[in-house]
Amino acid sequence: MIAGILASNPADHIRLPKIKKPDLKPIMDDNVSKFMEAIKGDMFERFFILALFSGLRQSELIGLQWQDVDLENGALTVRRQIQKAHDSSGYHFLEETKNGKERTAAIAPSIVTVLKGQKAQQAEWRLAAGPLWSNERDLVFTDQLGQHLKHRTINNHFKRIVAAIGLPETRFHDLRHSYAVNALQAGDSVKDVQEQLGHYSSAFTMDTYAAVSDTMRKASQARMEALIKSVSDL
């Protein structure tokens, strides 16, 4: 070493550990109806439904405000989140999403109805709570006093529900994967799913759900084969 300059980069020979992707455990097929039946009457029923059929992250749903809900056009503007802090400060209300970009998420008419039910429920809670009501940020999902929901409480409810229907390994975040998988299988394009989820690229979405994409390709091959047989002697 001369004058503090190394002859070579000591990091060149470091072997980086392989990145292990987490196992996805989406709720699919018959398990969707089982899940929907199991959450009936749960205090977080509407929250779970939005997670399953919108693809929003847990923190994005907790931080969703009514000003970002367009019931007339069936759309949510995702621009903020509430995160659990890793220190003693409790929670952070962040004026940005995970990737720092806002996006518009489409919701089906049935989900619009669910949100209208949530709005009516909140109105009842507000009347019952009187001066104890506190929802300064006008959040969509709150407890009966208008306080924002807590990640741990939601997760505890969710784990009990999925365990009861035989899916104990399913995590709350798998509801986001469930949306993606079910949307792709229903015929949505990878680009549409990427934009709904807020992924930075379609390639990332395709890579994440490669197994589902492979199933879709095989189904497409089968449809094309059926078409060929119907119009030719090949």
Side-chain angles (χ1 to χ4, degrees), residues 44 47-48 57-63 80-86 90-94 147-159 172-173:
F44 299 122
F47 189 92
F48 292 149
R57 299 176 177 90
Q58 186 182 67
S59 293
E60 292 171 343
L61 283 170
I62 294 176
R80 55 182 61 84
Q81 58 180 316
I82 292 180
Q83 284 276 11
K84 179 72 175 71
H86 296 294
Y91 288 83
H92 293 320
F93 189 87
L94 305 176
Q147 299 293 315
H148 72 78
L149 301 183
K150 308 297 191 295
H151 296 71
R152 178 178 294 181
T153 307
I154 294 169
N155 290 334
N156 287 342
H157 274 253
F158 179 77
K159 292 303 291 184
F172 184 90
H173 195 69

Short mmCIF file of all heavy atoms in Angstrom, two decimals, residues 44 47-48 57-63 80-86 90-94 147-159 172-173:
data_model
loop_
_atom_site.label_atom_id
_atom_site.label_comp_id
_atom_site.label_asym_id
_atom_site.label_seq_id
_atom_site.Cartn_x
_atom_site.Cartn_y
_atom_site.Cartn_z
N PHE A 44 -62.54 -6.71 12.29
CA PHE A 44 -61.70 -6.26 11.18
C PHE A 44 -62.17 -6.84 9.84
O PHE A 44 -61.39 -6.87 8.89
CB PHE A 44 -60.24 -6.65 11.43
CG PHE A 44 -59.65 -6.03 12.66
CD1 PHE A 44 -59.14 -6.82 13.67
CD2 PHE A 44 -59.63 -4.65 12.83
CE1 PHE A 44 -58.60 -6.26 14.81
CE2 PHE A 44 -59.09 -4.08 13.96
CZ PHE A 44 -58.57 -4.88 14.97
N PHE A 47 -61.70 -4.52 6.90
CA PHE A 47 -60.27 -4.31 6.69
C PHE A 47 -59.67 -5.49 5.93
O PHE A 47 -58.90 -5.31 4.97
CB PHE A 47 -59.57 -4.13 8.04
CG PHE A 47 -58.14 -3.70 7.96
CD1 PHE A 47 -57.81 -2.35 7.98
CD2 PHE A 47 -57.11 -4.63 7.86
CE1 PHE A 47 -56.48 -1.95 7.91
CE2 PHE A 47 -55.79 -4.23 7.80
CZ PHE A 47 -55.46 -2.88 7.81
N PHE A 48 -60.02 -6.72 6.35
CA PHE A 48 -59.52 -7.91 5.68
C PHE A 48 -60.01 -8.00 4.24
O PHE A 48 -59.27 -8.39 3.33
CB PHE A 48 -59.96 -9.17 6.45
CG PHE A 48 -59.34 -9.32 7.81
CD1 PHE A 48 -60.02 -9.95 8.84
CD2 PHE A 48 -58.06 -8.85 8.07
CE1 PHE A 48 -59.45 -10.10 10.09
CE2 PHE A 48 -57.47 -8.99 9.32
CZ PHE A 48 -58.17 -9.62 10.33
N ARG A 57 -51.00 -2.66 1.01
CA ARG A 57 -50.23 -3.13 2.16
C ARG A 57 -50.99 -2.80 3.45
O ARG A 57 -51.81 -1.88 3.49
CB ARG A 57 -48.86 -2.47 2.19
CG ARG A 57 -47.98 -2.78 0.98
CD ARG A 57 -46.67 -2.01 1.06
NE ARG A 57 -45.78 -2.34 -0.06
CZ ARG A 57 -45.77 -1.69 -1.22
NH1 ARG A 57 -46.62 -0.69 -1.42
NH2 ARG A 57 -44.93 -2.04 -2.18
N GLN A 58 -50.66 -3.52 4.52
CA GLN A 58 -51.32 -3.29 5.79
C GLN A 58 -51.16 -1.84 6.25
O GLN A 58 -52.14 -1.20 6.66
CB GLN A 58 -50.74 -4.23 6.85
CG GLN A 58 -51.47 -4.16 8.19
CD GLN A 58 -50.85 -5.07 9.22
OE1 GLN A 58 -49.71 -4.84 9.66
NE2 GLN A 58 -51.56 -6.12 9.60
N SER A 59 -49.95 -1.31 6.18
CA SER A 59 -49.70 0.05 6.63
C SER A 59 -50.41 1.09 5.77
O SER A 59 -50.80 2.16 6.24
CB SER A 59 -48.20 0.34 6.66
OG SER A 59 -47.56 -0.45 7.64
N GLU A 60 -50.61 0.77 4.48
CA GLU A 60 -51.33 1.67 3.59
C GLU A 60 -52.81 1.70 3.93
O GLU A 60 -53.45 2.76 3.89
CB GLU A 60 -51.13 1.24 2.14
CG GLU A 60 -49.70 1.41 1.64
CD GLU A 60 -49.44 0.79 0.28
OE1 GLU A 60 -50.26 -0.05 -0.16
OE2 GLU A 60 -48.41 1.13 -0.34
N LEU A 61 -53.37 0.55 4.28
CA LEU A 61 -54.77 0.48 4.68
C LEU A 61 -55.00 1.20 6.01
O LEU A 61 -55.98 1.92 6.18
CB LEU A 61 -55.23 -0.97 4.79
CG LEU A 61 -55.52 -1.70 3.48
CD1 LEU A 61 -55.71 -3.18 3.72
CD2 LEU A 61 -56.75 -1.10 2.80
N ILE A 62 -54.07 1.01 6.94
CA ILE A 62 -54.20 1.67 8.24
C ILE A 62 -54.14 3.19 8.08
O ILE A 62 -54.84 3.93 8.77
CB ILE A 62 -53.09 1.19 9.21
CG1 ILE A 62 -53.29 -0.29 9.54
CG2 ILE A 62 -53.09 2.02 10.49
CD1 ILE A 62 -52.18 -0.87 10.40
N GLY A 63 -53.34 3.67 7.13
CA GLY A 63 -53.19 5.11 6.91
C GLY A 63 -54.13 5.70 5.86
O GLY A 63 -54.05 6.89 5.57
N ARG A 80 -50.06 7.49 1.46
CA ARG A 80 -49.48 7.57 2.80
C ARG A 80 -49.65 6.25 3.53
O ARG A 80 -50.35 5.35 3.07
CB ARG A 80 -50.11 8.71 3.59
CG ARG A 80 -51.63 8.62 3.68
CD ARG A 80 -52.21 9.79 4.43
NE ARG A 80 -51.92 11.06 3.80
CZ ARG A 80 -52.64 11.58 2.81
NH1 ARG A 80 -53.69 10.92 2.36
NH2 ARG A 80 -52.33 12.74 2.28
N GLN A 81 -49.03 6.14 4.69
CA GLN A 81 -49.10 4.91 5.47
C GLN A 81 -48.85 5.22 6.95
O GLN A 81 -48.33 6.28 7.29
CB GLN A 81 -48.07 3.89 4.97
CG GLN A 81 -46.65 4.40 5.03
CD GLN A 81 -45.63 3.40 4.55
OE1 GLN A 81 -45.71 2.23 4.90
NE2 GLN A 81 -44.66 3.85 3.75
N ILE A 82 -49.24 4.30 7.81
CA ILE A 82 -48.90 4.38 9.22
C ILE A 82 -48.06 3.16 9.54
O ILE A 82 -48.50 2.02 9.37
CB ILE A 82 -50.15 4.41 10.12
CG1 ILE A 82 -50.90 5.74 9.93
CG2 ILE A 82 -49.77 4.25 11.59
CD1 ILE A 82 -52.14 5.87 10.78
N GLN A 83 -46.83 3.39 9.97
CA GLN A 83 -45.87 2.33 10.23
C GLN A 83 -45.64 2.17 11.73
O GLN A 83 -45.61 3.15 12.47
CB GLN A 83 -44.53 2.64 9.56
CG GLN A 83 -44.52 2.41 8.06
CD GLN A 83 -44.26 0.96 7.69
OE1 GLN A 83 -44.28 0.09 8.54
NE2 GLN A 83 -44.00 0.72 6.43
N LYS A 84 -45.45 0.93 12.17
CA LYS A 84 -45.05 0.67 13.54
C LYS A 84 -43.57 1.00 13.66
O LYS A 84 -42.75 0.53 12.89
CB LYS A 84 -45.28 -0.80 13.90
CG LYS A 84 -44.86 -1.16 15.33
CD LYS A 84 -45.79 -0.57 16.35
CE LYS A 84 -45.44 -1.03 17.75
NZ LYS A 84 -44.19 -0.45 18.27
N ALA A 85 -43.24 1.84 14.63
CA ALA A 85 -41.85 2.23 14.82
C ALA A 85 -41.07 1.10 15.50
O ALA A 85 -41.64 0.31 16.25
CB ALA A 85 -41.77 3.50 15.67
N HIS A 86 -39.79 1.04 15.23
CA HIS A 86 -38.93 0.02 15.84
C HIS A 86 -38.31 0.51 17.13
O HIS A 86 -37.43 -0.13 17.69
CB HIS A 86 -37.84 -0.41 14.85
CG HIS A 86 -38.37 -1.07 13.62
ND1 HIS A 86 -39.01 -2.29 13.66
CD2 HIS A 86 -38.37 -0.68 12.32
CE1 HIS A 86 -39.38 -2.63 12.42
NE2 HIS A 86 -39.00 -1.67 11.60
N GLY A 90 -43.56 4.49 19.25
CA GLY A 90 -44.89 4.00 18.89
C GLY A 90 -45.11 3.86 17.41
O GLY A 90 -44.67 2.90 16.79
N TYR A 91 -45.78 4.84 16.78
CA TYR A 91 -46.15 4.75 15.37
C TYR A 91 -45.71 6.00 14.62
O TYR A 91 -45.65 7.09 15.18
CB TYR A 91 -47.66 4.57 15.21
CG TYR A 91 -48.13 3.19 15.62
CD1 TYR A 91 -48.38 2.90 16.96
CD2 TYR A 91 -48.32 2.18 14.69
CE1 TYR A 91 -48.80 1.64 17.35
CE2 TYR A 91 -48.74 0.92 15.07
CZ TYR A 91 -48.98 0.65 16.39
OH TYR A 91 -49.39 -0.59 16.77
N HIS A 92 -45.42 5.82 13.32
CA HIS A 92 -45.06 6.94 12.47
C HIS A 92 -46.13 7.11 11.39
O HIS A 92 -46.48 6.14 10.70
CB HIS A 92 -43.71 6.69 11.77
CG HIS A 92 -42.54 6.66 12.71
ND1 HIS A 92 -42.43 7.52 13.77
CD2 HIS A 92 -41.44 5.88 12.75
CE1 HIS A 92 -41.31 7.28 14.42
NE2 HIS A 92 -40.69 6.27 13.82
N PHE A 93 -46.67 8.29 11.28
CA PHE A 93 -47.59 8.61 10.19
C PHE A 93 -46.76 9.19 9.06
O PHE A 93 -46.19 10.29 9.19
CB PHE A 93 -48.65 9.61 10.65
CG PHE A 93 -49.75 9.81 9.65
CD1 PHE A 93 -50.85 8.96 9.64
CD2 PHE A 93 -49.69 10.82 8.71
CE1 PHE A 93 -51.88 9.13 8.72
CE2 PHE A 93 -50.71 10.99 7.78
CZ PHE A 93 -51.81 10.15 7.79
N LEU A 94 -46.62 8.46 7.97
CA LEU A 94 -45.73 8.85 6.88
C LEU A 94 -46.51 9.39 5.70
O LEU A 94 -47.49 8.78 5.25
CB LEU A 94 -44.88 7.65 6.44
CG LEU A 94 -44.08 6.96 7.56
CD1 LEU A 94 -43.37 5.74 7.01
CD2 LEU A 94 -43.07 7.93 8.17
N GLN A 147 -59.51 6.01 16.95
CA GLN A 147 -58.05 5.86 16.94
C GLN A 147 -57.62 4.94 15.79
O GLN A 147 -58.37 4.03 15.40
CB GLN A 147 -57.56 5.28 18.26
CG GLN A 147 -57.86 6.15 19.46
CD GLN A 147 -57.07 7.45 19.43
OE1 GLN A 147 -55.88 7.47 19.15
NE2 GLN A 147 -57.75 8.56 19.71
N HIS A 148 -56.41 5.15 15.27
CA HIS A 148 -55.94 4.29 14.18
C HIS A 148 -55.73 2.86 14.69
O HIS A 148 -55.50 2.62 15.88
CB HIS A 148 -54.64 4.84 13.56
CG HIS A 148 -53.43 4.70 14.42
ND1 HIS A 148 -52.74 3.52 14.58
CD2 HIS A 148 -52.76 5.61 15.17
CE1 HIS A 148 -51.70 3.69 15.37
NE2 HIS A 148 -51.69 4.95 15.75
N LEU A 149 -55.83 1.89 13.78
CA LEU A 149 -55.69 0.49 14.13
C LEU A 149 -54.23 0.15 14.40
O LEU A 149 -53.32 0.78 13.86
CB LEU A 149 -56.25 -0.39 13.01
CG LEU A 149 -57.73 -0.16 12.67
CD1 LEU A 149 -58.18 -1.15 11.58
CD2 LEU A 149 -58.62 -0.29 13.90
N LYS A 150 -54.02 -0.89 15.19
CA LYS A 150 -52.67 -1.33 15.56
C LYS A 150 -52.32 -2.61 14.79
O LYS A 150 -53.12 -3.54 14.69
CB LYS A 150 -52.59 -1.60 17.06
CG LYS A 150 -53.08 -0.46 17.94
CD LYS A 150 -52.25 0.79 17.77
CE LYS A 150 -52.56 1.84 18.83
NZ LYS A 150 -53.94 2.36 18.74
N HIS A 151 -51.11 -2.63 14.25
CA HIS A 151 -50.66 -3.77 13.46
C HIS A 151 -50.77 -5.08 14.24
O HIS A 151 -51.26 -6.09 13.71
CB HIS A 151 -49.21 -3.57 13.02
CG HIS A 151 -49.00 -2.40 12.10
ND1 HIS A 151 -49.10 -1.09 12.52
CD2 HIS A 151 -48.68 -2.35 10.77
CE1 HIS A 151 -48.86 -0.28 11.51
NE2 HIS A 151 -48.59 -1.01 10.45
N ARG A 152 -50.31 -5.09 15.46
CA ARG A 152 -50.29 -6.34 16.24
C ARG A 152 -51.70 -6.87 16.47
O ARG A 152 -51.94 -8.07 16.35
CB ARG A 152 -49.60 -6.12 17.58
CG ARG A 152 -49.60 -7.36 18.47
CD ARG A 152 -48.86 -7.14 19.77
NE ARG A 152 -47.44 -6.93 19.54
CZ ARG A 152 -46.56 -6.74 20.52
NH1 ARG A 152 -46.96 -6.71 21.78
NH2 ARG A 152 -45.28 -6.57 20.24
N THR A 153 -52.64 -5.98 16.77
CA THR A 153 -54.02 -6.41 17.01
C THR A 153 -54.62 -7.03 15.76
O THR A 153 -55.27 -8.07 15.81
CB THR A 153 -54.88 -5.21 17.46
OG1 THR A 153 -54.26 -4.57 18.57
CG2 THR A 153 -56.27 -5.67 17.86
N ILE A 154 -54.38 -6.39 14.62
CA ILE A 154 -54.87 -6.91 13.34
C ILE A 154 -54.27 -8.28 13.06
O ILE A 154 -54.97 -9.24 12.69
CB ILE A 154 -54.53 -5.95 12.19
CG1 ILE A 154 -55.30 -4.64 12.35
CG2 ILE A 154 -54.85 -6.59 10.83
CD1 ILE A 154 -54.82 -3.55 11.41
N ASN A 155 -52.96 -8.39 13.24
CA ASN A 155 -52.27 -9.65 12.96
C ASN A 155 -52.74 -10.77 13.86
O ASN A 155 -52.87 -11.93 13.43
CB ASN A 155 -50.75 -9.46 13.10
CG ASN A 155 -50.18 -8.60 11.99
OD1 ASN A 155 -50.74 -8.52 10.90
ND2 ASN A 155 -49.07 -7.93 12.26
N ASN A 156 -53.00 -10.47 15.13
CA ASN A 156 -53.49 -11.50 16.05
C ASN A 156 -54.85 -12.04 15.62
O ASN A 156 -55.09 -13.25 15.65
CB ASN A 156 -53.57 -10.94 17.47
CG ASN A 156 -52.20 -10.75 18.10
OD1 ASN A 156 -51.21 -11.31 17.64
ND2 ASN A 156 -52.13 -9.94 19.15
N HIS A 157 -55.73 -11.14 15.22
CA HIS A 157 -57.05 -11.57 14.73
C HIS A 157 -56.89 -12.43 13.48
O HIS A 157 -57.54 -13.47 13.33
CB HIS A 157 -57.92 -10.35 14.41
CG HIS A 157 -58.66 -9.82 15.58
ND1 HIS A 157 -60.02 -9.98 15.75
CD2 HIS A 157 -58.24 -9.14 16.67
CE1 HIS A 157 -60.40 -9.40 16.87
NE2 HIS A 157 -59.34 -8.89 17.45
N PHE A 158 -56.02 -11.95 12.57
CA PHE A 158 -55.83 -12.66 11.30
C PHE A 158 -55.28 -14.06 11.53
O PHE A 158 -55.76 -15.03 10.91
CB PHE A 158 -54.87 -11.86 10.41
CG PHE A 158 -54.58 -12.51 9.09
CD1 PHE A 158 -55.51 -12.45 8.06
CD2 PHE A 158 -53.39 -13.19 8.87
CE1 PHE A 158 -55.25 -13.06 6.85
CE2 PHE A 158 -53.13 -13.80 7.66
CZ PHE A 158 -54.06 -13.73 6.65
N LYS A 159 -54.30 -14.20 12.40
CA LYS A 159 -53.68 -15.50 12.63
C LYS A 159 -54.69 -16.50 13.21
O LYS A 159 -54.66 -17.69 12.88
CB LYS A 159 -52.47 -15.37 13.56
CG LYS A 159 -51.30 -14.62 12.95
CD LYS A 159 -50.81 -15.24 11.65
CE LYS A 159 -50.14 -16.58 11.87
NZ LYS A 159 -49.59 -17.14 10.59
N PHE A 172 -50.44 -12.07 7.18
CA PHE A 172 -51.32 -11.01 6.68
C PHE A 172 -50.85 -10.52 5.32
O PHE A 172 -51.66 -10.25 4.43
CB PHE A 172 -51.38 -9.83 7.67
CG PHE A 172 -52.34 -8.76 7.23
CD1 PHE A 172 -53.66 -8.80 7.63
CD2 PHE A 172 -51.94 -7.72 6.39
CE1 PHE A 172 -54.57 -7.83 7.20
CE2 PHE A 172 -52.82 -6.76 5.95
CZ PHE A 172 -54.14 -6.82 6.36
N HIS A 173 -49.53 -10.39 5.14
CA HIS A 173 -49.01 -9.89 3.87
C HIS A 173 -49.39 -10.81 2.70
O HIS A 173 -49.38 -10.37 1.54
CB HIS A 173 -47.49 -9.74 3.94
CG HIS A 173 -46.91 -8.92 2.83
ND1 HIS A 173 -47.09 -7.56 2.71
CD2 HIS A 173 -46.15 -9.29 1.76
CE1 HIS A 173 -46.48 -7.12 1.63
NE2 HIS A 173 -45.90 -8.14 1.03
#
